[in-house]
């Protein structure tokens, strides 16, 4: 992959993983906030690797010139690799459940992630142009205390 595409995807991963770090469950769990953050960040770390591997596989399977991918190819990898992986991470983290008393904060992040992911999938060019549809969810995740899922 080209350094530019890898850098773009790495930035996407960092931003999107933040968003994904906050699943869709508003149920309380027996996890403390610290345990939730730790487990969510582990999911995000794993998700970063999955996005990188998926992008490389996509490029190989679709004969993408990784030195000079077209805008259409970049949009396609965002739609077919990045967005689905973010949804998977969100699902895994949602399965953790929100720490008791933290349901509203986690739900706010989840809502922002879902809205951002929808926009990312429908308008992938925004990300290529430097606009991040998940910036709000990233901010909320950082404020919540997520470390990997907030960078």
């Amino acid at each position: 992959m080209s350094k530019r595409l890898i850098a773009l995807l790495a930035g996407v991963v960092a931003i999107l993983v933040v968003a994904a770090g906050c699943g869709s469950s508003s149920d309380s769990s027996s996890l403390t906030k610290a345990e939730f953050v730790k487990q969510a960040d582990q999911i995000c770390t794993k998700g970063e690797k999955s996005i990188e591997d998926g992008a490389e596989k996509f490029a190989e399977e679709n004969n993408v010139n990784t030195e000079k991918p077209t805008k259409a190819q970049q949009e396609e990898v965002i739609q077919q690799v990045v967005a689905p992986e973010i949804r998977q991470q969100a699902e895994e983290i949602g399965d953790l459940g929100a720490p008791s008393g933290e349901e509203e904060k986690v739900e706010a992040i989840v809502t922002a992630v879902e809205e951002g992911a929808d926009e990312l999938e429908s308008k992938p060019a925004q990300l290529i142009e430097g606009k991040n549809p998940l910036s709000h969810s990233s901010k909320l995740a950082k404020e919540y205390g997520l470390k990997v899922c907030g960078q």
Side-chain angles (χ1 to χ4, degrees):
M1 288 202 140
S2 75
K3 289 180 182 177
R4 182 170 188 248
L5 182 57
I6 290 172
L8 171 68
L9 290 175
V12 169
V13 169
I15 292 164
L16 299 180
V17 170
V18 168
C22 307
S24 59
S25 176
S26 61
D27 297 335
S28 292
S29 71
S30 60
L31 292 175
T32 66
K33 182 175 178 179
E35 292 167 335
F36 176 86
V37 167
K38 180 180 178 182
Q39 290 182 28
D41 280 342
Q42 288 172 342
I43 291 168
C44 291
T45 298
K46 184 182 80 172
E48 287 181 30
K49 176 88 171 104
S50 293
I51 290 174
E52 290 171 12
D53 292 347
E56 288 178 18
K57 182 178 179 184
F58 176 87
E60 187 176 297
E61 290 176 352
N62 293 283
N63 297 316
V64 174
N65 176 352
T66 58
E67 293 300 315
K68 292 185 179 184
T70 66
K71 183 177 179 183
Q73 290 168 330
Q74 291 177 47
E75 289 177 1
E76 197 172 359
V77 78
I78 291 167
Q79 290 175 314
Q80 293 186 23
V81 177
V82 177
E85 178 58 36
I86 294 306
R87 290 186 199 289
Q88 175 64 37
Q89 291 173 49
E91 183 178 318
E92 289 178 29
I93 293 171
D95 289 345
L96 295 174
S100 182
E102 300 289 321
E103 297 86 1
E104 285 185 31
K105 291 177 183 177
V106 171
E107 187 60 35
I109 297 169
V110 170
T111 299
V113 171
E114 292 170 345
E115 291 170 356
D118 290 345
E119 190 172 341
L120 179 68
E121 196 164 35
S122 67
K123 300 174 186 175
Q126 286 186 10
L127 192 60
I128 296 165
E129 296 163 0
K131 299 172 188 163
N132 178 8
L134 294 159
S135 61
H136 180 64
S137 59
S138 296
K139 179 180 182 259
L140 293 175
K142 285 181 187 179
E143 289 172 355
Y144 188 74
L146 294 166
K147 294 167 185 68
V148 175
C149 307
Q151 299 302 313

